[in-house]
Amino acid sequence: MKTDLNTIQNLILKAAENARRETADEPEPEKPKKSKWPIACTVGPGLEGAIACESKVGYVNGTKGWLVYRGYDIFDLCARSTFEEVSYLLLHGKMPNMAELTIFKEKLFNYTRINKVVRQLMGFPIEQMSVMGALRLGANLMRREYSDLDMASARPASFEAISSDEDSIAMETTPHGSNHATFEFKSRSNRKAAKSKRGFDKLSGLEDSYHLIAGISCIAAATSRLHNDKLPLEPQPDLSHAANLIYMITGKKPSPVEERVMDIALILHADHGMNASTFATMVVASTLADIYFSVGAGIAALSGPLHGGANEDVIRNLREIGSAKNVKPWVKKKLDQKKKVSGFGHRVYKAYDPRARILGPLAGLLLKEKPELNPLFEVAQELEKTVMDMFGKEKKIFPNVDFYSGLIYSSLGFDEELFTPMFAASRVSGWTARVLEYMEKNRIFRPRGLYTGEFNQMYVPIDQRK
Ligand code: SDX
């Protein structure tokens, strides 16, 4: 059966129906109310459970298996919206009207033509760099020569640096219960948020965000082509962002189905609460470092195999397993080695990741036209079944966003080294949206560590040490 755009939309609506039915018994989240800081929360290692800030950008509910961008359900956005619309929504907090979307698309297109940056990039030993490495370098090359925050005059005067008073208090003590409670929140009502003398310039922050959303896609595509001894390609004015991404990588204009699947993959990866790379981006931005450096930190964090790098690991595992009959012994061996199976598990989701609910069937759809990749899809389906049977159901470990995305990118003709960069090409929308939101009331991130070391160590001169 020829796949068409209706088939894709019906697949998404069916996935939405399954998701809502499977988690119908879970309570719906309460309507968010204005929180009164400080907020009490139970914090585990890796800041598990810690509430770092308020946000209206996006929401993840791990037990309902919900993913929401600015109040819109991810299934609705995948069924009806586009990556351009969703990026605008995340950044601006509302859906664009026709005029706003036209201007936004024009800006994205023009910002994708960063020939000067690509030419500078080609001056570096790109063939020895991973695409994620090139993205970090490229993000910094994209940075305006004179970012607002480079100029001394923009630096906040010391009395505006709002964290100085807390840092003057011994921080490594338990906040409550000790008889020397030396850690307390000063009333913040009379404190102005830390911002440069001219304030965080939201407008230039928006332009920088558009620039980064467009540029990350362009740099990923250009680096991939250089790795294949081909020259980078300019985007085409008649193509959407998703179609141009495929074109700039492969040199071929995608079919409507391929374009729609790429668009949906970009929508699905755009934002996901306070994940490691988003948090890294915000931490750097909270020091008033500029947004290009902040996105560079997000790219670095995303590259790790426990985070965005998992999608490359998944496809390597599928190739290593080779056939469905090898799945069980392979999983058993992984568990015996106390290793994690990439593409499964999540810090928040204890229900099926809604993104995997959509990416899985989409992979199946695309692979119908690519029979040579079918064995990998069969292995993936057997792997999902085996992991769920062996420990997934019991430990609430389900396939996550990284499990099927690599199969989709392979069927679009992308090299494995591009899988995580595709994640970055989308997530840069969520990163920048959350940075802009946080900078409205910036406060430098500065958590605490629980000191478990010694005190009163005597200094012994080196010639008396054993
Ligand atoms: C992403 O945060 C986000 O939102 C991230 C992300 C986003 O959109 O930004 O969703 C994208 O990063 C998805 C995750 C991609 N990573 C992987 O697929 C790597 C494999 N997954 C695991 O490393 C793990 O599940 C994490 C890192 C995703 C979550 O780790 P946690 O929350 O710290 O969980 P944990 O390591 O403490 O595991 C809890 C238990 C352990 O068993 P016990 O020691 O309690 O017996 O579950 C087991 C783990 O061994 N477990 C797994 C497993 N994931 C958890 N066992 C085997 N395989 C796995 N994949």
Side-chain angles (χ1 to χ4, degrees):
M1 178 199 57
K2 195 93 186 78
T3 302
D4 62 15
L5 298 185
N6 280 337
T7 317
I8 292 174
Q9 190 175 61
N10 294 336
L11 172 155
I12 293 167
L13 296 175
K14 181 103 185 78
E17 212 182 282
N18 293 342
R20 288 174 190 135
R21 188 180 57 250
E22 277 174 38
T23 59
D25 299 345
E26 290 297 333
E28 298 238 337
E30 285 157 40
K31 177 104 183 63
K33 41 189 181 310
K34 191 105 189 69
S35 39
K36 200 169 164 341
W37 294 88
I39 292 178
C41 47
T42 311
V43 183
L47 290 181
E48 181 161 15
I51 296 172
C53 63
E54 298 175 24
S55 172
K56 293 183 170 54
V57 173
Y59 170 76
V60 180
N61 183 307
T63 48
K64 281 298 263 188
W66 276 12
L67 174 55
V68 173
Y69 293 169
R70 296 280 188 186
Y72 292 80
D73 175 78
I74 195 66
F75 290 107
D76 281 353
L77 293 173
C78 287
R80 298 180 173 81
S81 191
T82 63
F83 178 64
E84 289 93 330
E85 263 198 352
V86 164
S87 296
Y88 186 97
L89 169 69
L90 290 170
L91 284 165
H92 291 265
K94 71 174 193 69
M95 275 290 182
N97 59 32
M98 189 57 84
E100 289 161 338
L101 186 60
T102 307
I103 294 167
F104 181 61
K105 282 179 168 177
E106 253 163 47
K107 286 191 173 198
L108 277 193
F109 177 73
N110 290 328
Y111 277 139
T112 311
R113 305 173 68 213
I114 46 172
N115 303 346
K116 182 178 151 224
V117 166
V118 172
R119 201 186 63 247
Q120 288 169 336
L121 207 56
M122 289 166 76
F124 289 85
I126 284 291
E127 54 289 340
Q128 289 151 29
M129 262 184 214
S130 69
V131 182
M132 290 301 272
L135 283 188
R136 290 190 70 203
L137 174 60
N140 292 329
L141 290 175
M142 282 179 65
R143 189 167 171 262
R144 274 196 302 267
E145 278 77 44
Y146 300 102
S147 138
D148 294 351
L149 297 180
D150 272 351
M151 288 186 271
S153 60
R155 286 197 186 294
S158 57
F159 62 83
E160 281 187 325
I162 60 169
S163 65
S164 55
D165 55 351
E166 271 105 348
D167 283 350
S168 61
I169 300 170
M171 295 289 276
E172 302 309 322
T173 57
T174 47
H176 301 296
S178 78
N179 50 9
H180 303 288
T182 55
F183 181 82
E184 58 185 2
F185 285 89
K186 288 234 173 350
S187 93
R188 262 188 252 287
S189 49
N190 59 355
R191 179 182 293 129
K192 277 192 295 165
K195 53 188 177 185
S196 67
K197 275 213 182 70
R198 284 184 285 134
F200 176 75
D201 178 347
K202 174 123 191 204
L203 275 185
S204 82
L206 274 171
E207 285 304 315
D208 292 343
S209 303
Y210 303 164
H211 192 202
L212 282 159
I213 293 168
I216 296 295
S217 290
C218 171
I219 292 165
T223 309
S224 169
R225 288 188 69 80
L226 291 166
H227 281 179
N228 288 290
D229 299 326
K230 293 186 185 118
L231 280 176
L233 290 170
E234 286 226 345
Q236 299 299 302
D238 59 326
L239 295 181
S240 68
H241 187 82
N244 255 324
L245 185 47
I246 296 173
Y247 169 73
M248 289 194 290
I249 291 168
T250 64
K252 294 190 209 90
K253 294 193 178 184
S255 69
V257 165
E258 287 171 330
E259 173 186 9
R260 186 62 191 139
V261 170
M262 186 71 224
D263 204 13
I264 291 167
L266 289 169
I267 292 172
L268 285 168
H269 286 83
D271 184 65
H272 207 252
M274 291 297 278
N275 59 83
S277 55
T278 297
F279 186 52
T281 309
M282 292 171 69
V283 167
V284 172
S286 78
T287 68
L288 296 186
D290 86 7
I291 198 163
Y292 292 83
F293 282 145
S294 310
V295 163
I299 292 166
L302 187 71
S303 67
L306 286 187
H307 189 14
N311 57 19
E312 292 178 17
D313 214 26
V314 169
I315 212 87
R316 282 193 288 270
N317 291 342
L318 297 178
R319 290 194 201 290
E320 183 188 317
I321 295 169
S323 78
K325 67 177 173 33
N326 300 336
V327 165
K328 197 163 247 163
W330 183 88
V331 173
K332 218 182 142 331
K333 191 167 157 234
K334 273 279 181 192
L335 296 181
D336 293 347
Q337 293 165 340
K338 296 261 175 279
K339 288 203 177 132
K340 304 274 174 63
V341 180
S342 280
F344 290 89
H346 200 276
R347 175 63 62 79
V348 177
Y349 284 124
K350 301 309 166 200
Y352 209 102
D353 187 329
R355 301 167 295 179
R357 279 189 192 279
I358 295 174
L359 290 169
L362 281 184
L365 216 55
L366 270 191
L367 292 174
K368 276 198 191 109
E369 337 259 324
K370 313 261 172 176
E372 70 280 10
L373 287 169
N374 258 323
L376 286 182
F377 187 61
E378 279 155 23
V379 172
Q381 289 192 302
E382 182 61 23
L383 181 56
E384 174 176 347
K385 187 179 163 312
T386 305
V387 166
M388 295 314 290
D389 290 349
M390 283 175 83
F391 60 91
K393 281 189 198 107
E394 181 215 332
K395 288 189 167 185
K396 296 214 178 304
I397 291 173
F398 297 86
N400 58 45
V401 68
D402 288 304
F403 187 58
Y404 287 107
S405 54
L407 282 167
I408 287 180
Y409 298 142
S410 295
S411 64
L412 292 172
F414 298 175
D415 294 339
E416 278 165 34
E417 65 163 3
L418 264 179
F419 293 0
T420 307
M422 288 303 101
F423 198 145
S426 165
R427 187 53 59 86
V428 59
S429 298
W431 291 335
T432 51
R434 286 176 183 267
V435 163
L436 296 191
E437 178 187 57
Y438 191 73
M439 296 312 282
E440 296 284 340
K441 274 197 309 180
N442 182 45
R443 185 157 198 286
I444 192 167
F445 282 103
R446 206 292 189 198
R448 303 166 60 218
L450 198 58
Y451 179 64
T452 56
E454 303 292 333
F455 285 108
N456 309 320
Q457 295 291 295
M458 297 303 282
Y459 184 81
V460 175
I462 189 140
D463 54 4
Q464 294 166 31
R465 288 175 216 157
K466 293 185 190 59

